[in-house]
Amino acid sequence: RLLAYADAMADGSATAFAAAAGAAAGLLCGAVGVQRFLRPNGTGTTAGRGLLVAYNAAVRAALPRYVILVRHGESQANADHTLLRRKADNLIELTARGSQQARAVGERIRAVVGEDAYVHVYVSPFQRTLQTARGLESSLGASRVARWSIDPRIREQEFGNIQPSDFASLRHDQRAVGRFWYRFPSGESGADVYDRVRQWWDTTVLAGGAQLCCGPSGRTVDVVVAVTHGLAMRLILMQLNGWSPLTFHSVWNAGNAHMYVLR
């Protein structure tokens, strides 16, 4: 169906195409359609170049006004590093300070996006991120939150089921290999996390459409808030900015309840 729009493009119907491109076959299919009209050197027919311009316009129109990445508030394990030897990572909760930080970050988000924003919250299924999301929602205002989506793809890196008593030696090995490459026994590497957070970005933020379209009232969502973890935030920035693993290794995690605002 997207290919059929080429004739309309030749007649100058770019506006109509841009309005329909996303709905016609989805943004990924749109990319395939564009490539059929372009030669490897980037040249092509007038219709093909016009199709690419309209496709890019449709992609940009489908993006939310803001994407805000939020790290969870201070957790029990941030306060007591030995806790993970006794308690599964996904069960770690916020401290009292972390709960206060969650409410405070909701106020900061509200100041950035304005009073009329309509928000889709994506959240890691870990207890500390769920609690952070509930805290920020209480400050942001539940009426501004169109949807909640619990998405395991933006969870913390898996370090193993229960951290062993010699976890410090694993960290030593990780520093030698590099955090992006090192895979923990019965866990994940940074590269593994990269793959899943990239899939999350591509199928939610970039795909737009039904994922970000509307809340129950039918109003369009214009802000995405992702409540996640420090490493996941860095890896999202890595794929957006085209960082090499060496550049990734030079960037530190955001602090507890800190946020990155993308616009």
Side-chain angles (χ1 to χ4, degrees), residues 4-157:
Y5 284 105
D7 292 336
M9 291 303 304
D11 294 332
S13 305
T15 302
F17 174 82
L27 298 179
L28 292 178
C29 292
V32 173
V34 169
Q35 291 304 316
R36 292 191 185 183
F37 285 98
L38 298 179
R39 301 188 182 99
N41 63 4
T43 64
T45 65
T46 300
R49 290 191 296 273
L51 183 63
L52 181 58
V53 169
Y55 167 70
N56 286 336
V59 170
R60 293 188 66 83
L63 293 175
R65 187 162 51 100
Y66 293 99
V67 178
I68 301 178
L69 309 177
V70 180
R71 188 184 176 198
H72 59 81
E74 181 186 73
S75 73
Q76 295 170 326
N78 292 139
D80 177 5
H81 297 300
T82 68
L83 184 61
L84 287 167
R85 299 176 190 172
R86 309 183 299 276
K87 191 173 185 179
D89 196 10
N90 64 288
L91 300 178
I92 300 295
E93 300 184 60
L94 294 182
T95 62
R97 181 185 181 195
S99 295
Q100 293 174 346
Q101 291 172 334
R103 293 189 292 273
V105 76
E107 294 286 355
R108 297 202 304 275
I109 292 171
R110 184 172 178 171
V112 168
V113 302
E115 297 297 320
D116 295 330
Y118 211 35
V119 181
H120 189 149
V121 176
Y122 286 90
V123 58
S124 155
F126 281 33
Q127 285 300 311
R128 58 188 179 272
T129 41
L130 291 168
Q131 291 170 346
T132 301
R134 294 187 194 106
L136 71 82
E137 183 187 39
S138 70
S139 297
L140 184 61
S143 63
R144 292 182 178 83
V145 177
R147 291 183 180 182
W148 266 63
S149 297
I150 298 174
D151 200 316
R153 292 175 296 181
I154 58 172
R155 72 188 186 278
E156 177 63 288
Q157 180 181 8

Side-chain angles (χ1 to χ4, degrees), residues 228-251:
T228 181
H229 307 264
L231 181 72
M233 292 169 68
R234 278 199 284 160
L235 290 167
I236 290 170
L237 295 182
M238 180 182 181
Q239 59 104 356
L240 288 177
N241 293 297
W243 292 345
S244 69
L246 288 177
T247 301
F248 164 78
H249 290 149
S250 71
V251 179

Side-chain angles (χ1 to χ4, degrees), residues 120 147 207-214:
H120 189 149
R147 291 183 180 182
Q211 292 289 338
L212 301 174
C213 174
C214 312

